[in-house]
Amino acid sequence: MSTVLEQAPAATSEAPREKKTTRKIAIILSKGSLDMAYPGLILANAARMMGIDAVLFFTFWGMDIINKKKADKLHAGMLGNPSSPMPHALMGLPGMEGFATRMMKRKMDEMDIPPVSEMLEMLEDAGAELYACQMAMEMFDLDQSDLVPQVQEVITAMDFYDKSEGAQIIFI
Amino acid sequence: MTTLANAQLDADGFLTNAEDWTPELAEEFAREAEIELTDRHWEVIDFCRRDFAEKGTAPTVRRITKVGGIPTKEMYQLFPGGPGILAARISGLPKPKGCI
């Protein structure tokens, strides 16, 4: 039995100088703590700095990163984190999380790491694509007006696969 | 004179010795990245070389925008293949060390 598969047309000399295919990454940001937000934002920015296309998809707690009111008020989550420098019994006390957050922010400031809102501006200027998850929008009763202006579109999970076609995917 | 053909490059394609750099070499690096150098590119290159001479490391994109005064958006227009690597490579500097 012979099956003729549909063949792609043979490459012609139409494109004399073939462009190198651009690498692409898609980062899913599903957490809203300071220590989960920055890795995604920094990796996306680094990709753009190297000429790699970057798509960011914010969902669930990651919505806080693109929430106008919360973006610059993310907290460092130390409870339930075995790497926490402080004993858990202490971390649960009132004010401790704020203390840990302030410490981390001060250190980041010293290192000239921009605040979240500025990182988002940089990403937009760098040509990264930012999308918000439609389901998370509904879950958290959010409106597009609640989001930072850098978010281009509210999309579904299936839309995400269209936007991230050919990309390497990173889930945070 | 150092040309791209006889220049010593590291594994990532950056000039090994910043002293070997010449404006002609910048033109060659740019051509390789399909960039035609404009006055604005030269402003970036001058800043990068000056900053490297002072600090000993190639400036990151954030430093070029904050200290060099070239807006982020423009950096991406000037170096569409990735300003983080191209600005340094064309300026004959090593790969920038920072993440931002």
Side-chain angles (χ1 to χ4, degrees), chain A residues 17 19 42 45 48-51 112-114 118-119 122 125-126, chain B residues 34 61-62 66 72-73 76 80-85 98-100:
Chain A
R17 203 166 53 127
K19 272 251 178 194
I42 287 174
N45 187 57
R48 290 303 305 133
M49 290 198 299
M50 290 190 69
D112 194 30
I113 298 172
E118 202 183 325
M119 284 290 311
M122 277 166 57
D125 286 348
Chain B
E34 294 174 28
V61 175
R62 182 156 168 82
K66 265 186 88 179
T72 307
K73 216 177 203 159
Y76 282 85
I85 43 177
C99 282
I100 303 205

PDB file of all heavy atoms in Angstrom, chain A residues 17 19 42 45 48-51 112-114 118-119 122 125-126, chain B residues 34 61-62 66 72-73 76 80-85 98-100:
ATOM      1  N   ARG A  17      18.535  35.074   0.234  1.00  0.00           N
ATOM      2  CA  ARG A  17      19.291  35.229   1.475  1.00  0.00           C
ATOM      3  C   ARG A  17      18.358  34.879   2.618  1.00  0.00           C
ATOM      4  O   ARG A  17      17.648  35.719   3.137  1.00  0.00           O
ATOM      5  CB  ARG A  17      19.775  36.668   1.594  1.00  0.00           C
ATOM      6  CG  ARG A  17      20.980  36.819   2.480  1.00  0.00           C
ATOM      7  CD  ARG A  17      21.567  38.175   2.250  1.00  0.00           C
ATOM      8  NE  ARG A  17      20.552  39.218   2.406  1.00  0.00           N
ATOM      9  CZ  ARG A  17      20.694  40.257   3.201  1.00  0.00           C
ATOM     10  NH1 ARG A  17      21.778  40.405   3.882  1.00  0.00           N
ATOM     11  NH2 ARG A  17      19.752  41.174   3.290  1.00  0.00           N
ATOM     12  N   LYS A  19      16.744  34.344   5.944  1.00  0.00           N
ATOM     13  CA  LYS A  19      16.938  34.922   7.276  1.00  0.00           C
ATOM     14  C   LYS A  19      17.045  33.804   8.291  1.00  0.00           C
ATOM     15  O   LYS A  19      16.354  32.808   8.196  1.00  0.00           O
ATOM     16  CB  LYS A  19      15.729  35.795   7.627  1.00  0.00           C
ATOM     17  CG  LYS A  19      15.869  37.216   7.157  1.00  0.00           C
ATOM     18  CD  LYS A  19      16.061  38.075   8.371  1.00  0.00           C
ATOM     19  CE  LYS A  19      16.255  39.529   7.996  1.00  0.00           C
ATOM     20  NZ  LYS A  19      16.771  40.300   9.112  1.00  0.00           N
ATOM     21  N   ILE A  42      12.660  39.105  34.129  1.00  0.00           N
ATOM     22  CA  ILE A  42      14.070  39.260  33.765  1.00  0.00           C
ATOM     23  C   ILE A  42      14.445  38.327  32.615  1.00  0.00           C
ATOM     24  O   ILE A  42      15.143  38.724  31.674  1.00  0.00           O
ATOM     25  CB  ILE A  42      14.971  39.071  35.001  1.00  0.00           C
ATOM     26  CG1 ILE A  42      14.814  40.304  35.896  1.00  0.00           C
ATOM     27  CG2 ILE A  42      16.434  38.887  34.596  1.00  0.00           C
ATOM     28  CD1 ILE A  42      15.501  40.230  37.221  1.00  0.00           C
ATOM     29  N   ASN A  45      13.045  39.839  29.428  1.00  0.00           N
ATOM     30  CA  ASN A  45      13.835  40.987  29.005  1.00  0.00           C
ATOM     31  C   ASN A  45      15.188  40.556  28.433  1.00  0.00           C
ATOM     32  O   ASN A  45      15.642  41.080  27.414  1.00  0.00           O
ATOM     33  CB  ASN A  45      14.019  41.948  30.185  1.00  0.00           C
ATOM     34  CG  ASN A  45      14.688  43.230  29.770  1.00  0.00           C
ATOM     35  OD1 ASN A  45      14.203  43.931  28.898  1.00  0.00           O
ATOM     36  ND2 ASN A  45      15.833  43.517  30.370  1.00  0.00           N
ATOM     37  N   ARG A  48      14.756  39.350  24.883  1.00  0.00           N
ATOM     38  CA  ARG A  48      14.659  40.458  23.929  1.00  0.00           C
ATOM     39  C   ARG A  48      16.032  41.101  23.695  1.00  0.00           C
ATOM     40  O   ARG A  48      16.357  41.474  22.583  1.00  0.00           O
ATOM     41  CB  ARG A  48      13.650  41.509  24.427  1.00  0.00           C
ATOM     42  CG  ARG A  48      12.197  41.081  24.406  1.00  0.00           C
ATOM     43  CD  ARG A  48      11.741  40.641  23.003  1.00  0.00           C
ATOM     44  NE  ARG A  48      11.983  41.683  22.025  1.00  0.00           N
ATOM     45  CZ  ARG A  48      12.561  41.474  20.844  1.00  0.00           C
ATOM     46  NH1 ARG A  48      12.963  40.282  20.484  1.00  0.00           N
ATOM     47  NH2 ARG A  48      12.741  42.485  20.018  1.00  0.00           N
ATOM     48  N   MET A  49      16.829  41.209  24.738  1.00  0.00           N
ATOM     49  CA  MET A  49      18.145  41.826  24.576  1.00  0.00           C
ATOM     50  C   MET A  49      19.022  41.014  23.639  1.00  0.00           C
ATOM     51  O   MET A  49      19.978  41.523  23.074  1.00  0.00           O
ATOM     52  CB  MET A  49      18.840  41.983  25.942  1.00  0.00           C
ATOM     53  CG  MET A  49      18.197  43.026  26.822  1.00  0.00           C
ATOM     54  SD  MET A  49      19.272  43.574  28.167  1.00  0.00           S
ATOM     55  CE  MET A  49      19.555  42.079  29.078  1.00  0.00           C
ATOM     56  N   MET A  50      18.706  39.716  23.515  1.00  0.00           N
ATOM     57  CA  MET A  50      19.475  38.855  22.620  1.00  0.00           C
ATOM     58  C   MET A  50      18.787  38.670  21.274  1.00  0.00           C
ATOM     59  O   MET A  50      19.209  37.841  20.463  1.00  0.00           O
ATOM     60  CB  MET A  50      19.661  37.475  23.248  1.00  0.00           C
ATOM     61  CG  MET A  50      20.578  37.475  24.426  1.00  0.00           C
ATOM     62  SD  MET A  50      20.961  35.784  24.892  1.00  0.00           S
ATOM     63  CE  MET A  50      21.965  35.223  23.530  1.00  0.00           C
ATOM     64  N   GLY A  51      17.679  39.379  21.082  1.00  0.00           N
ATOM     65  CA  GLY A  51      16.971  39.252  19.814  1.00  0.00           C
ATOM     66  C   GLY A  51      16.049  38.040  19.754  1.00  0.00           C
ATOM     67  O   GLY A  51      15.625  37.634  18.675  1.00  0.00           O
ATOM     68  N   ASP A 112      20.190  47.974  41.266  1.00  0.00           N
ATOM     69  CA  ASP A 112      19.570  48.692  40.163  1.00  0.00           C
ATOM     70  C   ASP A 112      18.616  47.808  39.351  1.00  0.00           C
ATOM     71  O   ASP A 112      18.573  47.899  38.130  1.00  0.00           O
ATOM     72  CB  ASP A 112      20.634  49.325  39.248  1.00  0.00           C
ATOM     73  CG  ASP A 112      20.009  50.357  38.313  1.00  0.00           C
ATOM     74  OD1 ASP A 112      19.006  50.973  38.713  1.00  0.00           O
ATOM     75  OD2 ASP A 112      20.510  50.528  37.185  1.00  0.00           O
ATOM     76  N   ILE A 113      17.901  46.953  40.053  1.00  0.00           N
ATOM     77  CA  ILE A 113      16.849  46.184  39.383  1.00  0.00           C
ATOM     78  C   ILE A 113      15.585  47.044  39.457  1.00  0.00           C
ATOM     79  O   ILE A 113      15.177  47.439  40.542  1.00  0.00           O
ATOM     80  CB  ILE A 113      16.619  44.821  40.088  1.00  0.00           C
ATOM     81  CG1 ILE A 113      17.905  43.990  40.019  1.00  0.00           C
ATOM     82  CG2 ILE A 113      15.461  44.071  39.445  1.00  0.00           C
ATOM     83  CD1 ILE A 113      17.870  42.733  40.830  1.00  0.00           C
ATOM     84  N   PRO A 114      15.002  47.381  38.304  1.00  0.00           N
ATOM     85  CA  PRO A 114      13.869  48.302  38.321  1.00  0.00           C
ATOM     86  C   PRO A 114      12.628  47.691  38.972  1.00  0.00           C
ATOM     87  O   PRO A 114      12.478  46.473  38.996  1.00  0.00           O
ATOM     88  CB  PRO A 114      13.604  48.573  36.836  1.00  0.00           C
ATOM     89  CG  PRO A 114      14.384  47.592  36.068  1.00  0.00           C
ATOM     90  CD  PRO A 114      15.380  46.956  36.955  1.00  0.00           C
ATOM     91  N   GLU A 118       8.227  49.353  36.065  1.00  0.00           N
ATOM     92  CA  GLU A 118       9.240  49.789  35.104  1.00  0.00           C
ATOM     93  C   GLU A 118       9.730  48.621  34.237  1.00  0.00           C
ATOM     94  O   GLU A 118      10.005  48.791  33.047  1.00  0.00           O
ATOM     95  CB  GLU A 118      10.415  50.428  35.860  1.00  0.00           C
ATOM     96  CG  GLU A 118      11.231  51.371  34.989  1.00  0.00           C
ATOM     97  CD  GLU A 118      12.429  51.947  35.740  1.00  0.00           C
ATOM     98  OE1 GLU A 118      12.310  52.200  36.962  1.00  0.00           O
ATOM     99  OE2 GLU A 118      13.478  52.123  35.102  1.00  0.00           O
ATOM    100  N   MET A 119       9.820  47.442  34.840  1.00  0.00           N
ATOM    101  CA  MET A 119      10.191  46.242  34.073  1.00  0.00           C
ATOM    102  C   MET A 119       9.166  46.017  32.961  1.00  0.00           C
ATOM    103  O   MET A 119       9.514  45.661  31.838  1.00  0.00           O
ATOM    104  CB  MET A 119      10.208  44.991  34.962  1.00  0.00           C
ATOM    105  CG  MET A 119      11.380  44.826  35.889  1.00  0.00           C
ATOM    106  SD  MET A 119      12.985  44.449  35.154  1.00  0.00           S
ATOM    107  CE  MET A 119      12.701  43.116  34.038  1.00  0.00           C
ATOM    108  N   MET A 122       9.739  48.477  30.231  1.00  0.00           N
ATOM    109  CA  MET A 122      10.923  48.075  29.464  1.00  0.00           C
ATOM    110  C   MET A 122      10.573  46.957  28.486  1.00  0.00           C
ATOM    111  O   MET A 122      11.002  46.950  27.342  1.00  0.00           O
ATOM    112  CB  MET A 122      12.027  47.576  30.404  1.00  0.00           C
ATOM    113  CG  MET A 122      12.873  48.683  31.012  1.00  0.00           C
ATOM    114  SD  MET A 122      13.870  48.064  32.398  1.00  0.00           S
ATOM    115  CE  MET A 122      14.782  46.745  31.639  1.00  0.00           C
ATOM    116  N   ASP A 125       8.650  48.322  25.556  1.00  0.00           N
ATOM    117  CA  ASP A 125       9.569  49.050  24.672  1.00  0.00           C
ATOM    118  C   ASP A 125      10.485  48.092  23.911  1.00  0.00           C
ATOM    119  O   ASP A 125      10.945  48.392  22.815  1.00  0.00           O
ATOM    120  CB  ASP A 125      10.438  50.026  25.479  1.00  0.00           C
ATOM    121  CG  ASP A 125       9.641  51.232  25.939  1.00  0.00           C
ATOM    122  OD1 ASP A 125       8.505  51.421  25.444  1.00  0.00           O
ATOM    123  OD2 ASP A 125      10.140  51.975  26.794  1.00  0.00           O
ATOM    124  N   ALA A 126      10.751  46.955  24.529  1.00  0.00           N
ATOM    125  CA  ALA A 126      11.656  45.982  23.917  1.00  0.00           C
ATOM    126  C   ALA A 126      10.918  45.102  22.907  1.00  0.00           C
ATOM    127  O   ALA A 126      11.523  44.244  22.270  1.00  0.00           O
ATOM    128  CB  ALA A 126      12.298  45.123  24.995  1.00  0.00           C
TER     129      ALA A 126
ATOM    130  N   GLU B  34      23.415  42.958   9.656  1.00  0.00           N
ATOM    131  CA  GLU B  34      22.494  43.644   8.738  1.00  0.00           C
ATOM    132  C   GLU B  34      22.052  45.003   9.276  1.00  0.00           C
ATOM    133  O   GLU B  34      20.882  45.363   9.226  1.00  0.00           O
ATOM    134  CB  GLU B  34      21.292  42.750   8.420  1.00  0.00           C
ATOM    135  CG  GLU B  34      21.699  41.512   7.632  1.00  0.00           C
ATOM    136  CD  GLU B  34      20.548  40.536   7.423  1.00  0.00           C
ATOM    137  OE1 GLU B  34      19.405  40.990   7.387  1.00  0.00           O
ATOM    138  OE2 GLU B  34      20.828  39.331   7.295  1.00  0.00           O
ATOM    139  N   VAL B  61      22.197  47.042  28.559  1.00  0.00           N
ATOM    140  CA  VAL B  61      21.212  47.883  27.863  1.00  0.00           C
ATOM    141  C   VAL B  61      20.653  48.925  28.840  1.00  0.00           C
ATOM    142  O   VAL B  61      20.489  50.087  28.497  1.00  0.00           O
ATOM    143  CB  VAL B  61      20.057  47.031  27.287  1.00  0.00           C
ATOM    144  CG1 VAL B  61      18.982  47.940  26.677  1.00  0.00           C
ATOM    145  CG2 VAL B  61      20.578  46.066  26.239  1.00  0.00           C
ATOM    146  N   ARG B  62      20.399  48.505  30.071  1.00  0.00           N
ATOM    147  CA  ARG B  62      19.845  49.439  31.055  1.00  0.00           C
ATOM    148  C   ARG B  62      20.800  50.609  31.296  1.00  0.00           C
ATOM    149  O   ARG B  62      20.377  51.743  31.428  1.00  0.00           O
ATOM    150  CB  ARG B  62      19.561  48.703  32.363  1.00  0.00           C
ATOM    151  CG  ARG B  62      18.951  49.600  33.415  1.00  0.00           C
ATOM    152  CD  ARG B  62      18.167  48.806  34.424  1.00  0.00           C
ATOM    153  NE  ARG B  62      17.799  49.606  35.587  1.00  0.00           N
ATOM    154  CZ  ARG B  62      16.766  50.425  35.638  1.00  0.00           C
ATOM    155  NH1 ARG B  62      15.992  50.577  34.587  1.00  0.00           N
ATOM    156  NH2 ARG B  62      16.485  51.101  36.734  1.00  0.00           N
ATOM    157  N   LYS B  66      19.937  54.374  30.703  1.00  0.00           N
ATOM    158  CA  LYS B  66      19.897  55.267  31.864  1.00  0.00           C
ATOM    159  C   LYS B  66      21.027  56.288  31.867  1.00  0.00           C
ATOM    160  O   LYS B  66      20.814  57.464  32.095  1.00  0.00           O
ATOM    161  CB  LYS B  66      19.973  54.441  33.156  1.00  0.00           C
ATOM    162  CG  LYS B  66      18.608  54.143  33.748  1.00  0.00           C
ATOM    163  CD  LYS B  66      18.732  53.453  35.085  1.00  0.00           C
ATOM    164  CE  LYS B  66      18.842  54.410  36.243  1.00  0.00           C
ATOM    165  NZ  LYS B  66      18.930  53.716  37.544  1.00  0.00           N
ATOM    166  N   THR B  72      15.011  52.996  25.568  1.00  0.00           N
ATOM    167  CA  THR B  72      14.945  51.548  25.323  1.00  0.00           C
ATOM    168  C   THR B  72      14.386  51.231  23.940  1.00  0.00           C
ATOM    169  O   THR B  72      14.957  50.438  23.189  1.00  0.00           O
ATOM    170  CB  THR B  72      14.039  50.877  26.380  1.00  0.00           C
ATOM    171  OG1 THR B  72      14.502  51.250  27.670  1.00  0.00           O
ATOM    172  CG2 THR B  72      14.075  49.359  26.260  1.00  0.00           C
ATOM    173  N   LYS B  73      13.262  51.877  23.628  1.00  0.00           N
ATOM    174  CA  LYS B  73      12.603  51.610  22.347  1.00  0.00           C
ATOM    175  C   LYS B  73      13.564  51.848  21.185  1.00  0.00           C
ATOM    176  O   LYS B  73      13.630  51.078  20.236  1.00  0.00           O
ATOM    177  CB  LYS B  73      11.395  52.525  22.231  1.00  0.00           C
ATOM    178  CG  LYS B  73      10.215  51.883  21.540  1.00  0.00           C
ATOM    179  CD  LYS B  73       9.058  52.841  21.535  1.00  0.00           C
ATOM    180  CE  LYS B  73       7.762  52.088  21.377  1.00  0.00           C
ATOM    181  NZ  LYS B  73       6.621  52.856  21.848  1.00  0.00           N
ATOM    182  N   TYR B  76      16.171  49.182  20.516  1.00  0.00           N
ATOM    183  CA  TYR B  76      15.681  48.029  19.758  1.00  0.00           C
ATOM    184  C   TYR B  76      15.492  48.357  18.284  1.00  0.00           C
ATOM    185  O   TYR B  76      15.573  47.476  17.432  1.00  0.00           O
ATOM    186  CB  TYR B  76      14.388  47.490  20.380  1.00  0.00           C
ATOM    187  CG  TYR B  76      14.680  46.666  21.617  1.00  0.00           C
ATOM    188  CD1 TYR B  76      14.829  47.274  22.859  1.00  0.00           C
ATOM    189  CD2 TYR B  76      14.868  45.295  21.536  1.00  0.00           C
ATOM    190  CE1 TYR B  76      15.140  46.541  23.985  1.00  0.00           C
ATOM    191  CE2 TYR B  76      15.172  44.543  22.649  1.00  0.00           C
ATOM    192  CZ  TYR B  76      15.311  45.176  23.876  1.00  0.00           C
ATOM    193  OH  TYR B  76      15.627  44.437  24.986  1.00  0.00           O
ATOM    194  N   PRO B  80      18.034  45.764  15.900  1.00  0.00           N
ATOM    195  CA  PRO B  80      16.889  44.857  15.908  1.00  0.00           C
ATOM    196  C   PRO B  80      17.254  43.401  16.241  1.00  0.00           C
ATOM    197  O   PRO B  80      16.413  42.661  16.725  1.00  0.00           O
ATOM    198  CB  PRO B  80      16.311  44.971  14.492  1.00  0.00           C
ATOM    199  CG  PRO B  80      17.214  45.826  13.709  1.00  0.00           C
ATOM    200  CD  PRO B  80      18.256  46.407  14.607  1.00  0.00           C
ATOM    201  N   GLY B  81      18.455  43.019  16.002  1.00  0.00           N
ATOM    202  CA  GLY B  81      18.854  41.637  16.311  1.00  0.00           C
ATOM    203  C   GLY B  81      19.161  41.410  17.781  1.00  0.00           C
ATOM    204  O   GLY B  81      19.566  40.320  18.172  1.00  0.00           O
ATOM    205  N   GLY B  82      18.963  42.434  18.620  1.00  0.00           N
ATOM    206  CA  GLY B  82      19.224  42.282  20.054  1.00  0.00           C
ATOM    207  C   GLY B  82      20.264  43.265  20.545  1.00  0.00           C
ATOM    208  O   GLY B  82      21.462  43.031  20.375  1.00  0.00           O
ATOM    209  N   PRO B  83      19.824  44.379  21.148  1.00  0.00           N
ATOM    210  CA  PRO B  83      20.769  45.410  21.587  1.00  0.00           C
ATOM    211  C   PRO B  83      21.722  44.932  22.676  1.00  0.00           C
ATOM    212  O   PRO B  83      22.827  45.459  22.797  1.00  0.00           O
ATOM    213  CB  PRO B  83      19.864  46.531  22.107  1.00  0.00           C
ATOM    214  CG  PRO B  83      18.574  45.873  22.429  1.00  0.00           C
ATOM    215  CD  PRO B  83      18.431  44.722  21.482  1.00  0.00           C
ATOM    216  N   GLY B  84      21.302  43.931  23.447  1.00  0.00           N
ATOM    217  CA  GLY B  84      22.126  43.456  24.558  1.00  0.00           C
ATOM    218  C   GLY B  84      23.459  42.906  24.088  1.00  0.00           C
ATOM    219  O   GLY B  84      24.472  43.037  24.770  1.00  0.00           O
ATOM    220  N   ILE B  85      23.454  42.276  22.915  1.00  0.00           N
ATOM    221  CA  ILE B  85      24.714  41.734  22.420  1.00  0.00           C
ATOM    222  C   ILE B  85      25.317  42.601  21.315  1.00  0.00           C
ATOM    223  O   ILE B  85      26.522  42.790  21.269  1.00  0.00           O
ATOM    224  CB  ILE B  85      24.584  40.268  21.936  1.00  0.00           C
ATOM    225  CG1 ILE B  85      23.314  40.076  21.134  1.00  0.00           C
ATOM    226  CG2 ILE B  85      24.622  39.304  23.084  1.00  0.00           C
ATOM    227  CD1 ILE B  85      23.162  38.683  20.564  1.00  0.00           C
ATOM    228  N   GLY B  98      25.745  41.937  32.972  1.00  0.00           N
ATOM    229  CA  GLY B  98      24.494  42.116  33.720  1.00  0.00           C
ATOM    230  C   GLY B  98      23.314  41.421  33.078  1.00  0.00           C
ATOM    231  O   GLY B  98      23.356  41.025  31.923  1.00  0.00           O
ATOM    232  N   CYS B  99      22.243  41.246  33.861  1.00  0.00           N
ATOM    233  CA  CYS B  99      21.043  40.562  33.364  1.00  0.00           C
ATOM    234  C   CYS B  99      19.985  41.540  32.869  1.00  0.00           C
ATOM    235  O   CYS B  99      18.961  41.139  32.333  1.00  0.00           O
ATOM    236  CB  CYS B  99      20.419  39.711  34.459  1.00  0.00           C
ATOM    237  SG  CYS B  99      21.299  38.167  34.700  1.00  0.00           S
ATOM    238  N   ILE B 100      20.174  42.825  33.109  1.00  0.00           N
ATOM    239  CA  ILE B 100      19.112  43.774  32.745  1.00  0.00           C
ATOM    240  C   ILE B 100      19.568  44.772  31.671  1.00  0.00           C
ATOM    241  O   ILE B 100      20.622  45.301  31.762  1.00  0.00           O
ATOM    242  CB  ILE B 100      18.614  44.553  33.977  1.00  0.00           C
ATOM    243  CG1 ILE B 100      18.130  43.536  35.005  1.00  0.00           C
ATOM    244  CG2 ILE B 100      17.520  45.512  33.595  1.00  0.00           C
ATOM    245  CD1 ILE B 100      17.124  44.017  35.970  1.00  0.00           C
TER     246      ILE B 100
END
